[in-house]
């Protein structure tokens, strides 16, 4: 997101937290977050930390302002919107140096109070819900926390699956060379995924499946499919050696080498369907992105 410094007339020698809350009218949590993340500066560009007094007549607050690259919401309602996220787009910036993320588009279209309700991996494409105000954000996040929704994905997997499978295996962090990797284990967190075959491509030995996660663990669909010998096409973490996975995470794996080890330029996992109720209305939403079908039918 674009990093912008905003200048404010301050009250010299006043505690920064009091000034932010009493004089600028910021929510205490917002003020705390700004100081703890080092986003407030004096006129000499020195950071003003929590508990310190304001040493100059003006202060600067670093804020993120959303920019657009032309991505528009798939659907928009009074309190929320749905984006159909493309692959290779992070939903949220990981640092001040992240040039662009889905949050840019969210803030550009709906302002600074709009926020993500849930997340999907950068390479996973598909549907993401956005709360347009704080009230709807809280209600919709509670809905996700309480699992009061239905979600399904499409995935292109290696090999053939002929019948519906329910994978009921606990998940936990692998704790080995690749820190983000998860593993199936008997004492892990309960994780259930239903896999339904849709179509088999005999020439490429690939199956298009619908994956329905009944729980929401990190990398759940990817790990569960890998655990039964059907890695998702293009997965750069599961089903490949540690060196190449590490190179991918460090952004040193070339496109050519990535294609060699994963057989594709991207992870072919797509959030295709969302169903949920909000204010006594049930919403059933399908993605309009058909890229995964076109890839499968090559």
């Amino acid at each position: 997101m674009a990093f912008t410094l905003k200048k404010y007339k301050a009250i010299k020698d006043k505690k920064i937290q009091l000034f932010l809350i009493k004089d600028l009218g910021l929510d205490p949590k917002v003020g705390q977050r700004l100081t703890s993340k080092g986003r407030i500066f004096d006129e000499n560009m020195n950071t003003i930390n929590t508990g310190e007094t304001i040493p100059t007549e003006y202060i600067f607050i670093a804020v993120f302002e959303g920019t657009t690259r032309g991505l528009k919401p798939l659907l928009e309602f009074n309190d929320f919107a749905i984006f159909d996220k493309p692959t290779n787009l992070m939903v949220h910036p990981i640092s001040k140096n992240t040039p662009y993320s889905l949050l840019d588009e969210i803030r550009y279209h709906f302002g600074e109070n709009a926020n993500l309700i849930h997340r999907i991996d950068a390479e996973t494409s598909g549907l993401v819900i956005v709360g347009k105000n704080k009230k709807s954000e809280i209600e919709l996040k509670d809905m996700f926390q309480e699992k009061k929704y239905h979600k399904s994905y499409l995935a292109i997997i290696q090999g053939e699956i002929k019948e519906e499978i329910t994978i009921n295996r606990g998940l936990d962090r692998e704790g080995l060379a690749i820190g983000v990797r998860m593993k199936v284990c008997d004492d892990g967190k309960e994780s259930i995924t239903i896999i339904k075959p849709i179509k088999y491509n005999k020439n490429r030995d690939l199956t298009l499946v619908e994956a329905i996660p009944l729980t929401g663990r990190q990398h759940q669909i990817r790990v569960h499919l890998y655990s039964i010998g059907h890695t998702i096409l293009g997965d750069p973490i599961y089903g490949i050696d540690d060196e190449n996975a590490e190179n991918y995470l460090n952004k040193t794996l070339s496109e050519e080498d990535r294609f060699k080890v994963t057989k594709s330029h991207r992870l072919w996992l797509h959030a295709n369907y969302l169903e949920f109720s909000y204010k006594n209305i049930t919403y059933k939403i399908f993605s309009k992105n058909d890229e995964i079908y076109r890839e499968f039918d090559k």
Side-chain angles (χ1 to χ4, degrees):
M1 300 182 79
F3 187 60
T4 304
L5 286 174
K6 289 194 172 182
K7 186 177 181 179
Y8 296 89
K9 181 76 171 71
I11 300 175
K12 191 175 179 181
D13 297 326
K14 189 167 188 175
K15 290 278 189 180
I16 185 62
Q17 293 301 124
L18 287 175
F19 176 75
L20 295 174
I21 297 167
K22 301 293 186 182
D23 298 282
L24 290 189
L26 298 182
D27 182 276
K29 290 182 180 179
V30 174
Q32 177 62 36
R33 185 168 68 248
L34 289 170
T35 53
S36 66
K37 291 189 175 182
R39 293 183 182 171
I40 301 180
F41 307 90
D42 64 21
E43 290 181 65
N44 301 311
M45 290 296 109
N46 296 314
T47 303
I48 305 174
N49 298 307
T50 303
E52 294 182 348
T53 58
I54 301 170
T56 54
E57 298 295 331
Y58 290 88
I59 64 168
F60 295 85
I61 299 179
V63 297
F64 288 118
E65 293 186 340
T67 57
T68 184
R69 295 187 182 180
L71 181 63
K72 297 179 180 179
L74 173 66
L75 294 167
E76 183 180 347
F77 303 92
N78 287 335
D79 290 337
F80 66 91
I82 309 289
F83 279 87
D84 208 344
K85 187 185 82 69
T87 186
N88 291 316
L89 175 62
M90 290 186 292
V91 295
H92 194 278
I94 58 174
S95 75
K96 295 177 183 178
N97 298 319
T98 301
Y100 176 70
S101 70
L102 181 60
L103 192 59
D104 270 286
E105 297 289 356
I106 293 167
R107 297 283 169 82
Y108 175 82
H109 288 286
F110 305 121
E112 62 180 15
N113 288 326
N115 221 338
L116 295 153
I117 301 304
H118 59 109
R119 301 186 181 197
I120 56 178
D121 294 336
E123 287 200 18
T124 302
S125 53
L127 303 178
V128 179
I129 306 177
V130 173
K132 293 168 65 176
N133 54 66
K134 292 300 180 184
K135 188 173 185 296
S136 65
E137 178 187 349
I138 292 169
E139 291 182 25
L140 288 165
K141 280 186 174 178
D142 285 346
M143 173 195 74
F144 264 76
Q145 189 72 28
E146 295 167 12
K147 303 294 187 292
K148 294 179 179 179
Y149 66 92
H150 297 285
K151 182 192 293 188
S152 76
Y153 292 73
L154 295 175
I156 300 174
I157 64 167
Q158 308 274 2
E160 183 178 13
I161 289 182
K162 295 181 178 180
E163 297 178 346
E164 180 177 317
I165 302 170
T166 297
I167 306 170
N168 187 350
R169 296 291 307 277
L171 295 182
D172 200 355
R173 290 195 176 277
E174 186 181 63
L176 299 175
I178 310 303
V180 299
R181 265 196 193 142
M182 304 293 286
K183 65 177 180 179
V184 296
C185 55
D186 293 336
D187 58 350
K189 292 181 179 178
E190 181 186 24
S191 306
I192 304 171
T193 308
I194 299 170
I195 305 296
K196 298 180 178 182
I198 297 172
K199 190 177 180 181
Y200 179 61
N201 184 324
K202 186 176 181 181
N203 292 332
R204 301 175 66 191
D205 190 28
L206 299 172
T207 305
L208 178 66
V209 302
E210 179 185 18
I212 304 170
L214 302 187
T215 49
R217 310 302 180 196
Q218 179 177 321
H219 295 177
Q220 178 176 316
I221 296 171
R222 298 165 68 177
V223 186
H224 272 170
L225 284 165
Y226 168 63
S227 74
I228 61 170
H230 294 284
T231 305
I232 296 175
L233 180 67
D235 197 321
I237 297 177
Y238 298 96
I240 69 170
D241 63 274
D242 288 353
E243 182 179 356
N244 279 306
E246 191 69 44
N247 288 340
Y248 165 77
L249 293 170
N250 292 332
K251 302 187 184 305
T252 58
L253 185 67
S254 70
E255 285 293 317
E256 182 181 1
D257 287 341
R258 159 123 192 214
F259 198 91
K260 285 180 182 178
V261 296
T262 73
K263 299 181 182 179
S264 186
H265 66 284
R266 62 157 288 191
L267 174 75
W268 286 101
L269 180 63
H270 181 70
N272 189 59
Y273 177 73
L274 275 171
E275 179 180 335
F276 59 95
S277 293
Y278 180 76
K279 292 186 175 179
N280 298 316
I281 298 174
T282 298
Y283 297 86
K284 299 181 179 182
I285 300 165
F286 283 93
S287 167
K288 291 186 178 180
N289 185 342
D290 65 353
E291 187 180 3
I292 195 166
Y293 296 105
R294 287 185 275 115
E295 170 64 27
F296 181 78
D297 289 331
K298 280 183 179 177

